[in-house]
Amino acid sequence: MKPLDPRLLRYARAARGYLALTVALGVVTGALVVAQALLLAHALGSAVADGATLPRVLPLVGGLAGVVAVRALVAGVQERYAHRAATRAVAELRERVVAHAATVGPRRAAPADGASLVTLATRGLDALEPYFVRYLPQLVLAATLTPATLLVVLGLDWISAAIIAGTIPLVPVFMWLVGVMTQGRSERGLATMQRLGAQVLDLLAGLTTLRAFGRERGPVARVRDLGDAHRRATMGTLRVAFLSGMVLELLTTLCVALVAVAIGMRLVYGQMDLVTGLAVLVLAPEVFNPLRQVGAQFHASTDGVAAADRAFAVLEVPVPPTGTRPAPDLAGGAVRARGVAVRARSGWAPAPLDVGLAPGRVVALVGASGAGKSTTVEVLLGLLTPDAGRVELVAADGTATDLADVDVHGYWRQVTWLPQRPVLEPGTVHEVLGSPDPADRDRAAALTGLDAVVATLPEGWSTALGTGGTGLSVGQRQRLALTRALLHPSPVVVLDEPTAHLDAAGERVVLATLAALRDAGSAVLLVAHRASLAARADDVVHVTSAPDPTGSDPRGGAPSPRDVPTARGGTAAGVAPARATGPVPTDPTGGTR
């Protein structure tokens, strides 16, 4: 990122007002610095050269004290509003990053590693606070105070101004060298922190599974190594920053010393009056001070600058076009995918396949890990655009509408999605279920076994739960989510490995829930690993991946899905053949799909 990237002002509106305030305070500070130097020079010059008494110099001393007080007040105002602006700008930028990532999808926002996006939106952007509080004010002062004081020195003594003008370019050169060295280290430190965050998130997500197999201490060494790497990267950045700060201090001190020697020699030979000499001596350090502070505070901003660059990269990912047509009523309708495939790093996952969801039928997606089952679900939900094939929504009258042309929000209102880890809002158990009729609630709870869970809670249905269902075990949250799905059935229900955290008794609950959803007329899509779960499905679709084909798209893009081998060993001629072990679903109008 540039010292002041215009994208920061575009994406974080709070930074605009703060920048205007900083510029105004910089102008005021420049005027106060000049006034302070002139008052101090006249007071000392009058006392030393002219032998002025205390009553004569007292007004100058009073004015000097007032200037110092106002300068301290300006610095306090700058510090106070810097913290406020930093908090608001970081919050606004974080909100934009999260909202944009949700709009474009995590696969597009962070194609390499989705966990790094989580680290960026949490701890990463917090590093912008030093940039606002320390670095940006000094940068503005360097752009306003330095040229203003240099002009004043020029008006007082052109020789001293020439010395300063000749030596001052050395400071930006050294700052540039420092920036090049520190920026690379900061980027590596941010990457290390993101890897550390991703490792910890993966560890926390799979901790229950690791504990079940007695392997919870296995990743300790890896996390420790990543933590040590982040520590070394951070200390390396600080080491370079402190050494470069010493170099800048030495350089500016030598430059000021040249001005002082020239003034001293001319004072000895009577070529300059004492008041002018004192004024130039006081102003000379003020010319270099903003530049020196920019160099000294640069290390405090580099982590934030690297995080901001990463945030801008996410925000500049183009939003895919969205449809505007209203979604058809899927009550009695269907969802079908024809030849859908998604390009992965090493090939296609999934390879072209057909999936058909019809009312009152359960479709199971089975396949090896990494074959593309979750990706297929994202495609069917409209969360991911396939690289080949299409998804259609079929109304009860047989009218088919391409999902790409549909307003997905209208489609999502007709879908119930139950991921492996259910998303539960805070509230009482009764409120989380949607405050249904107690009789319907009790019947659904008896089917899923939630009634036995509620019986163990201290306040029964009125027991308060935290965010994500805190207060219940993972299996109990799954039963709660299944009960909610039964109480509010949708035309399309998607269950992503619903038995992942359940025992044999919990598996029987899921099987009973599947039967209830089928009887309610819902089209159920099931991601299954257990054979017992897939055996209850009406149709089983085997999801496979395919390696990189030898053919390529004639336009120079991704290889054509026609060249991708299907599960049968042939090629997909436009639409891949269905790979369902059960009967092929039929349209509500009677046609086969």
Side-chain angles (χ1 to χ4, degrees):
M1 191 177 79
K2 303 174 183 178
L4 181 58
D5 199 317
R7 294 177 296 178
L8 182 62
L9 303 180
R10 183 167 72 249
Y11 292 123
R13 295 183 178 179
R16 302 176 188 175
Y18 171 65
L19 180 61
L21 176 64
T22 302
V23 171
L25 293 178
V27 173
V28 174
T29 301
L32 292 174
V33 166
V34 173
Q36 177 180 325
L38 295 178
L39 289 172
L40 181 61
H42 281 85
L44 292 177
S46 300
V48 174
D50 301 334
T53 59
L54 181 60
R56 183 178 172 184
V57 299
L58 192 58
L60 297 175
V61 174
L64 179 61
V67 169
V68 172
V70 174
R71 191 174 177 182
L73 178 63
V74 170
V77 171
Q78 174 70 57
E79 185 81 10
R80 177 180 180 181
Y81 283 96
H83 285 285
R84 288 188 178 183
T87 302
R88 293 174 182 174
V90 169
E92 187 176 356
L93 194 58
R94 178 181 288 118
E95 182 180 357
R96 282 180 174 268
V97 168
V98 173
H100 191 77
T103 301
V104 303
R107 291 175 181 265
R108 293 187 181 90
D113 183 11
S116 64
L117 185 62
V118 178
T119 305
L120 172 68
T122 51
R123 182 183 173 186
L125 288 177
D126 286 338
L128 266 177
E129 183 173 353
Y131 173 85
F132 278 96
V133 177
R134 301 186 183 94
Y135 181 71
L136 189 56
Q138 298 302 327
L139 191 65
V140 173
L141 287 178
T144 56
L145 182 59
T146 295
T149 50
L150 183 58
L151 289 176
V152 174
V153 172
L154 179 61
L156 294 174
D157 179 29
W158 70 269
I159 297 178
S160 298
I163 295 174
I164 295 175
T167 56
I168 203 171
L170 297 176
V171 179
V173 170
F174 276 88
M175 289 173 56
W176 176 77
L177 294 174
V178 171
V180 170
M181 295 181 61
T182 311
Q183 184 178 9
R185 289 179 175 271
S186 297
E187 291 175 351
R188 291 193 295 272
L190 178 62
T192 304
M193 184 179 68
Q194 290 177 337
R195 289 197 299 271
L196 177 62
Q199 186 78 18
V200 173
L201 286 175
D202 289 342
L203 176 61
L204 292 177
L207 188 59
T208 54
T209 304
L210 291 173
R211 292 189 61 184
F213 289 95
R215 299 294 300 276
E216 67 273 12
R217 296 187 180 275
V220 170
R222 174 60 177 165
V223 173
R224 183 185 300 113
D225 291 341
L226 288 173
D228 291 340
H230 180 248
R231 175 182 55 80
R232 289 192 298 270
T234 302
M235 295 305 296
T237 302
L238 292 177
R239 183 166 55 251
V240 172
F242 291 149
L243 291 176
S244 62
M246 182 188 69
V247 172
L248 290 177
E249 289 286 347
L250 179 61
L251 177 64
T252 54
T253 301
L254 291 176
C255 294
V256 173
L258 290 176
V259 176
V261 170
I263 292 175
M265 295 298 294
R266 283 182 290 158
L267 286 174
V268 170
Y269 290 101
Q271 299 175 356
M272 176 183 287
D273 62 279
L274 182 60
V275 173
T276 302
L278 289 174
V280 173
L281 280 177
V282 174
L283 287 175
E286 297 292 345
V287 176
F288 291 96
N289 185 59
L291 293 174
R292 187 172 68 248
Q293 291 299 320
V294 167
Q297 300 297 339
F298 182 78
H299 73 279
S301 68
T302 50
D303 289 342
V305 169
D309 275 334
R310 180 70 182 88
F312 296 150
V314 173
L315 292 173
E316 290 172 356
V317 174
V319 178
T322 57
T324 57
R325 299 179 60 180
D329 186 4
L330 296 179
V335 179
R336 64 188 180 196
R338 293 184 174 181
V340 295
V342 176
R343 181 71 174 169
R345 294 184 185 178
S346 58
W348 297 85
L353 56 80
D354 292 348
V355 180
L357 307 179
R361 298 187 69 87
V362 178
V363 177
L365 298 179
V366 299
S369 298
K373 298 185 297 297
S374 298
T375 303
T376 303
V377 171
E378 293 181 14
V379 170
L380 291 172
L381 291 176
L383 298 172
L384 180 65
T385 302
D387 296 310
R390 58 187 297 183
V391 179
E392 295 178 334
L393 305 182
V394 184
D397 59 359
T399 304
T401 306
D402 196 321
L403 181 57
D405 301 329
V406 170
D407 180 8
V408 291
H409 295 88
Y411 171 47
W412 291 341
R413 283 191 287 268
Q414 305 180 66
V415 177
T416 297
W417 181 23
L418 181 60
Q420 293 186 24
R421 295 183 178 274
V423 179
L424 303 175
E425 304 83 3
T428 66
V429 177
H430 184 73
E431 292 171 347
V432 172
L433 289 176
S435 302
D437 179 74
D440 296 338
R441 179 197 65 190
D442 295 340
R443 282 194 296 269
L447 182 63
T448 61
L450 182 63
D451 54 350
V453 174
V454 173
T456 63
L457 299 178
E459 299 181 24
W461 294 104
S462 300
T463 301
L465 303 178
T467 302
T470 304
L472 299 178
S473 67
V474 177
Q476 291 172 340
R477 298 174 194 176
Q478 197 81 350
R479 293 174 186 260
L480 179 58
L482 288 171
T483 306
R484 185 164 62 178
L486 283 177
L487 288 171
H488 308 282
S490 301
V492 178
V493 178
V494 179
L495 305 178
D496 188 357
E497 194 59 36
T499 59
H501 309 287
L502 300 177
D503 52 13
E507 183 176 345
R508 290 193 295 270
V509 167
V510 173
L511 296 178
T513 304
L514 284 177
L517 291 171
R518 180 193 289 115
D519 295 339
S522 297
V524 182
L525 179 63
L526 178 68
V527 178
H529 282 99
R530 297 187 184 181
S532 58
L533 196 60
R536 296 299 183 95
D538 300 300
D539 308 292
V540 178
V541 177
H542 293 275
V543 182
T544 60
S545 59
D548 279 328
T550 56
S552 60
D553 189 84
R555 296 169 295 180
S560 170
R562 296 176 184 271
D563 302 318
V564 181
T566 65
R568 296 182 179 182
T571 57
V575 177
R579 293 188 292 278
T581 59
V584 178
T586 58
D587 280 335
T589 56
T592 61
R593 296 195 279 138

